[in-house]
């Protein structure tokens, strides 16, 4: 597991293979597969995420792009508000402090942003930035609602948070961009 | 200074007086005033903010409400991108970790949110929540751009970040609210 943490943090998610983690740990790759499953699941374990990110992000693949702004927080808010969410928020928080920032960067860039960007790359070349602004609003909700605990936002029913942020997310995902961004 | 940190963290900004800090430290209130100036300045020093929040938030008071969504990030992005910004981001980051969360909460609730909420309280009772969603997007930019360092967002010229988030902020500040929020 320390091999996995180190390699993911150092080389990022995309550039780290299960084979490399196994080699670094001096065990057989099949053994890593057997115990941890997919690379996403290994990553979730390495970062102590209590949930496989793909369980959350998977349903997005079948969702129409013009509804992602609503569906994304509809998936995330109940998760964040759940028991598992407490662990998720703790993991996120420790990823933002000090030495774990490369892990956080890899998580967002290689999993969250990569999952979204190709579907919203209109005009071509804008997808990654669209996904990053989307992520920024979602991170901001995590910080304001769960970490800082600003009231009444922290106690607002999840569906009202969804209703409030959905138009923001949809604009980032598919809306018009400022002049130079939409070049 | 440790008295100030402790009292601000424990009682919040509003409920902490310079007199109380001076009493706790066993010195005269006039001395605290002399060395630190206003309560905001004392707070800035206690939280190691390299900038008096009022220097930034002050100009907002004269800005028309319907332009705040643009003016707010126009004030903040150049500050965050500056030398002083490095210290600001570091202060923000340490406020989000562990024991300093009450200080962060007090900072946002009693200074940032309080500064905005009364001006955008339409319909009555929604101003605090409007300000908190606004703050959530700004916090998200801090996390994504400066702490996690997601590229290309981290290197995007500040004015393009402003152009991208301004409509989001303006909607939170003065736009229509979802049904139950705007009750």
């Amino acid at each position: 597991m320390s091999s996995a943490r180190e390699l993911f943090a150092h080389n990022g998610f995309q550039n780290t293979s299960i084979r490399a983690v196994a080699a670094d740990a001096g065990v057989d790759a099949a053994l890593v597969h057997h115990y941890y499953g997919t690379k996403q699941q290994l990553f979730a374990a390495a970062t102590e995420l209590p949930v496989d990110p793909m369980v959350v992000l998977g349903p997005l693949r079948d969702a129409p792009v013009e509804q992602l702004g609503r569906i994304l927080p509809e998936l995330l808010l109940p998760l964040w508000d759940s028991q598992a969410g407490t662990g998720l928020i703790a993991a996120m928080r420790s990823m933002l402090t000090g030495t774990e920032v490369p892990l956080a960067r890899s998580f967002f860039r290689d999993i969250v942003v990569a999952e979204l960007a190709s579907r919203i790359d209109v005009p071509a070349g804008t997808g990654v930035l669209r996904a990053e602004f989307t992520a920024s609003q979602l991170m901001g909700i995590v910080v304001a609602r769960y970490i800082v605990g600003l009231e009444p936002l922290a106690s607002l029913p999840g569906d009202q948070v969804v209703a409030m942020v959905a138009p923001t997310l949809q604009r980032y995902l598919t809306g018009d961009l400022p002049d130079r961004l939409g070049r």
Side-chain angles (χ1 to χ4, degrees), chain A:
Chain A
M1 199 44 44
S2 71
S3 296
R5 287 179 71 81
E6 207 167 291
L7 290 175
F8 281 133
H10 200 260
N11 302 326
F13 178 78
Q14 299 292 24
N15 300 322
T16 301
S17 63
I18 286 204
R19 179 185 295 269
V21 171
D24 191 80
V27 300
D28 194 82
L31 202 73
V32 177
H33 268 301
H34 177 75
Y35 280 109
Y36 293 105
T38 67
K39 190 165 78 164
Q40 276 88 357
Q41 286 164 338
L42 178 64
F43 185 87
T47 52
E48 294 174 351
L49 291 178
V51 177
D52 174 1
M54 282 307 130
V55 171
V56 182
L57 297 172
L60 290 180
R61 290 187 184 157
D62 302 319
V65 163
E66 60 279 7
Q67 292 174 28
L68 282 180
R70 182 178 47 77
I71 292 171
L72 197 52
E74 272 179 0
L75 282 168
L76 290 171
L77 263 291
L79 178 74
W80 291 340
D81 286 342
S82 71
Q83 274 303 97
T86 314
L88 264 180
I89 306 303
M92 181 76 61
R93 199 163 148 185
S94 82
M95 280 206 289
L96 295 180
T97 65
T99 57
E100 308 206 39
V101 163
L103 262 183
R105 190 179 303 132
S106 176
F107 172 71
F108 286 109
R109 185 188 56 203
D110 298 331
I111 298 195
V112 183
V113 170
E115 182 69 23
L116 283 173
S118 60
R119 301 191 57 198
I120 52 175
D121 195 34
V122 180
T126 61
V128 170
L129 208 49
R130 286 180 182 279
E132 289 179 355
F133 275 101
T134 304
S136 84
Q137 174 61 91
L138 291 168
M139 291 176 190
I141 292 293
V142 169
V143 173
R145 179 174 169 93
Y146 304 98
I147 298 180
V148 180
L150 287 182
E151 292 292 356
L153 172 56
S155 308
L156 199 66
D159 61 338
Q160 293 186 43
V161 177
V162 170
M164 191 75 169
V165 302
T168 289
L169 301 179
Q170 194 63 48
R171 188 176 64 82
Y172 290 152
L173 291 164
T174 58
D176 288 342
L177 294 172
D179 270 359
R180 274 179 296 163
L181 281 178
R183 83 218 89 132

